[in-house]
Amino acid sequence: MKCDQLLALLNDYVDGDVDPALCEEFEKHLAGCNPCQVVVDNIRKTITLYRGGQPYELPLRFRERLHGMLRERWKQKFPGADSSKSS
Amino acid sequence: MRRAKSGDMGAFEELVNRHERRVYSLARRILRHEHDAEDVTQQTLLSAVEHLPEFREEASFATWLLRIATHAALKMLRKRRGLPTVSLEQAAEPADDEGTIPHPEFIADWRENPLVLAQQAETRRLLDEALNELDEKHRLVFLLRDVEGLSVRETAEALELSEANVKVRLLRARLQLRERLTRAFGDESKRLQPHAHAP
């Protein structure tokens, strides 16, 4: 396997989705190619950082308005349901 | 979920409390506009009330909401541009996803590990900036797959793309973000030159 071929399989490899036979070749190349090792490591870290990112908070006034609207719509949609448990 | 579907508003509000930030964040990152993201969040959750009885629980509730939010956000993007509603697949230039994969240029170990970096305020700004520099089609795929953690299939369904197309775009997105982040976080003294990477 060459660097280019490794690059094409990069996603499947980091997602644990690569064919076992190819995986062996991939790792064989990786063991002897320092730049490819670093690229794979960089990619994993990139994904880790984005996955671990915190979501944005809803602006408070928008959130209050939104929840009010949802309660109204809920009452229209489920008029007979018990809504006393709502906060 | 069962309680919500039987009309328990409190149960539905618990679900909303758990997922609303993800919906809002996805909309904000797709649209890069606070008020448009609010509109999309509102549309998504109102639509969830409307269609809750039809929710089959084949997907998780979060995935279902993210799919609704993606559709609403894409619709807004197209409206902004004054384009008729067409799928991303149709709108894409056919040649865009072909050709060679961009080669890594800046190759170096990072100075810090992601856990340390994640705690730095500067990192969040940098991650958003790097994401905003991607083409829209690459950003959308990366957001759903890697930020929100949807599967390739779920991402393909939400964006009305083929799985093969999602994979190609995802690879480009990941490589571009790797390049950008490594330029920021890479240890220059341990940099490996691109020529060393040739086969």
Side-chain angles (χ1 to χ4, degrees):
Chain A
M1 184 178 288
K2 294 182 175 175
C3 296
D4 270 354
Q5 293 165 300
L6 180 132
L7 212 54
L9 283 172
L10 200 58
N11 269 357
D12 287 342
Y13 182 74
V14 298
D15 291 338
D17 204 17
V18 79
D19 178 78
L22 280 174
C23 189
E24 204 174 306
E25 274 193 63
F26 192 104
E27 283 170 354
K28 208 167 122 190
H29 174 96
L30 214 53
C33 181
N34 198 16
C36 279
Q37 276 172 35
V38 175
V39 168
V40 170
D41 183 62
N42 288 168
I43 289 268
R44 284 194 203 280
K45 286 179 174 161
T46 299
I47 297 169
T48 302
L49 265 187
Y50 278 101
R51 286 223 169 134
Q54 290 300 308
Y56 286 100
E57 292 291 340
L58 275 67
L60 198 62
R61 285 172 67 183
F62 164 63
R63 187 172 184 274
E64 283 169 7
R65 205 170 65 234
L66 173 72
H67 279 246
M69 234 180 293
L70 288 173
R71 279 182 216 120
E72 283 308 307
R73 183 65 65 93
W74 189 271
K75 284 176 198 162
Q76 289 167 11
K77 181 79 184 171
F78 304 99
D82 173 20
S83 57
S84 59
K85 291 173 204 160
S86 68
S87 50
Chain B
M1 174 51 68
R2 224 175 24 247
R3 282 196 294 133
K5 280 179 96 169
S6 67
D8 181 340
M9 185 160 76
F12 181 70
E13 279 207 287
E14 274 175 41
L15 287 171
V16 170
N17 289 340
R18 203 179 308 154
H19 299 294
E20 63 189 3
R21 290 191 308 156
R22 277 182 76 185
V23 170
Y24 175 69
S25 299
L26 176 65
R28 203 167 139 165
R29 288 182 174 125
I30 291 178
L31 295 161
R32 293 182 284 183
H33 190 282
E34 205 175 309
H35 291 295
D36 286 352
E38 289 181 6
D39 280 353
V40 162
T41 305
Q42 183 179 314
Q43 282 176 40
T44 301
L45 294 171
L46 286 173
S47 172
V49 173
E50 205 54 45
H51 297 285
L52 193 66
E54 298 145 42
F55 173 55
R56 294 276 169 252
E57 298 178 46
E58 286 150 2
S60 74
F61 185 63
T63 304
W64 186 62
L65 283 182
L66 293 176
R67 197 184 300 171
I68 300 173
T70 304
H71 279 246
L74 292 181
K75 210 166 155 189
M76 190 169 285
L77 276 181
R78 287 169 196 140
K79 202 168 121 193
R80 256 192 212 165
R81 293 192 206 113
L83 290 175
T85 306
V86 289
S87 78
L88 274 183
E89 189 91 77
Q90 289 168 289
E93 304 266 333
D96 278 4
D97 290 326
E98 292 165 11
T100 54
I101 303 159
H103 273 102
E105 286 175 21
F106 196 111
I107 304 170
D109 279 324
W110 289 8
R111 296 185 301 272
E112 305 275 9
N113 75 49
L115 286 175
V116 175
L117 289 168
Q119 285 160 12
Q120 297 166 3
E122 175 70 2
T123 302
R124 180 168 180 161
R125 193 186 57 77
L126 211 123
L127 294 182
D128 279 350
E129 237 176 56
L131 204 50
N132 286 342
E133 284 169 14
L134 292 183
D135 283 352
E136 186 180 294
K137 58 185 184 180
H138 296 127
R139 194 172 78 245
L140 288 167
V141 166
F142 185 82
L143 274 172
L144 290 175
R145 174 75 183 104
D146 281 341
V147 178
E148 296 303 334
L150 266 57
S151 68
V152 169
R153 190 169 60 81
E154 289 165 343
T155 303
E157 282 170 6
L159 296 173
E160 295 172 35
L161 294 170
S162 69
E163 289 187 34
N165 215 326
V166 165
K167 285 186 176 187
V168 175
R169 291 181 189 191
L170 184 65
L171 180 59
R172 285 176 178 269
R174 284 174 170 178
L175 284 169
Q176 281 180 58
L177 291 171
R178 184 216 70 87
E179 191 70 38
R180 179 74 164 76
L181 297 193
T182 304
R183 281 174 197 275
F185 300 138
D187 186 341
E188 182 73 49
S189 69
K190 291 184 187 162
R191 185 173 175 185
L192 300 165
Q193 290 307 307
H195 65 81
H197 190 256

